[in-house]
Amino acid sequence: TMRIVLNTNSKVTVLKSDLHAVIDQGFVDIHGKPFQKKFRNPDELENDIELKCLNDLIALLDTSTDIRIFLNCMSSNLQAFVIQPSKNKEEFKKLAANFQLRWNFLLTGVSKAMTLCRTVSFG
């Protein structure tokens, strides 16, 4: 499904516009406060790896429409933030579970914001 969207320039343009709109207007609620990309402290962003991953993926919408590039980006971030910092199997499980929980929470917030704002790209 994502490949079809990424292969249609008009859909990518609308998706970028909708994502920037819900984020810049503070409609995405993260950790009990609105997430606004332009007002976030860069140091804070580095501590929230799921937000860094989302920002990386959104930035790629400006330069690429190849699904493999998006998957490589996500893979690189997982390598850097989950796999490499793990010292053993138990720590890996803990970091992976924590990332998955927070990533799903973030994507749910984005989906909710896009639904409530009735963005064109959500459907």
Side-chain angles (χ1 to χ4, degrees):
T1 302
M2 198 63 203
R3 190 180 310 246
I4 293 168
V5 170
L6 292 173
N7 286 331
T8 310
N9 286 337
S10 61
K11 289 182 181 182
V12 170
T13 301
V14 171
L15 177 60
K16 283 190 304 191
S17 175
D18 289 348
L19 284 169
H20 286 292
V22 297
I23 290 170
D24 291 343
Q25 293 174 17
F27 291 119
V28 179
D29 183 26
I30 305 299
H31 308 303
K33 58 186 171 193
F35 167 58
Q36 291 180 287
K37 187 167 68 172
K38 63 185 174 188
F39 298 121
R40 287 194 61 84
N41 178 339
D43 295 331
E44 235 179 278
L45 184 60
E46 290 302 317
N47 292 330
D48 288 331
I49 58 173
E50 69 279 5
L51 295 177
K52 180 182 181 336
C53 292
L54 179 63
N55 278 332
D56 289 350
L57 293 175
I58 291 172
L60 282 175
L61 287 172
D62 290 329
T63 61
S64 178
T65 57
D66 185 345
I67 190 74
R68 291 173 295 191
I69 298 200
F70 287 87
L71 294 174
N72 284 338
C73 173
M74 207 54 206
S75 179
S76 294
N77 281 333
L78 287 173
Q79 183 71 29
F81 298 121
V82 176
I83 297 169
Q84 285 179 348
S86 302
K87 294 177 180 66
N88 56 49
K89 188 177 180 178
E90 290 304 314
E91 188 173 4
F92 169 74
K93 286 180 182 179
K94 181 181 172 187
L95 287 172
N98 186 44
F99 175 81
Q100 184 177 12
L101 176 68
R102 293 172 60 165
W103 180 247
N104 286 338
F105 182 73
L106 174 62
L107 292 184
T108 299
V110 170
S111 295
K112 178 182 171 186
M114 292 179 83
T115 301
L116 293 174
C117 292
R118 300 179 188 185
T119 60
V120 175
S121 65
F122 186 73

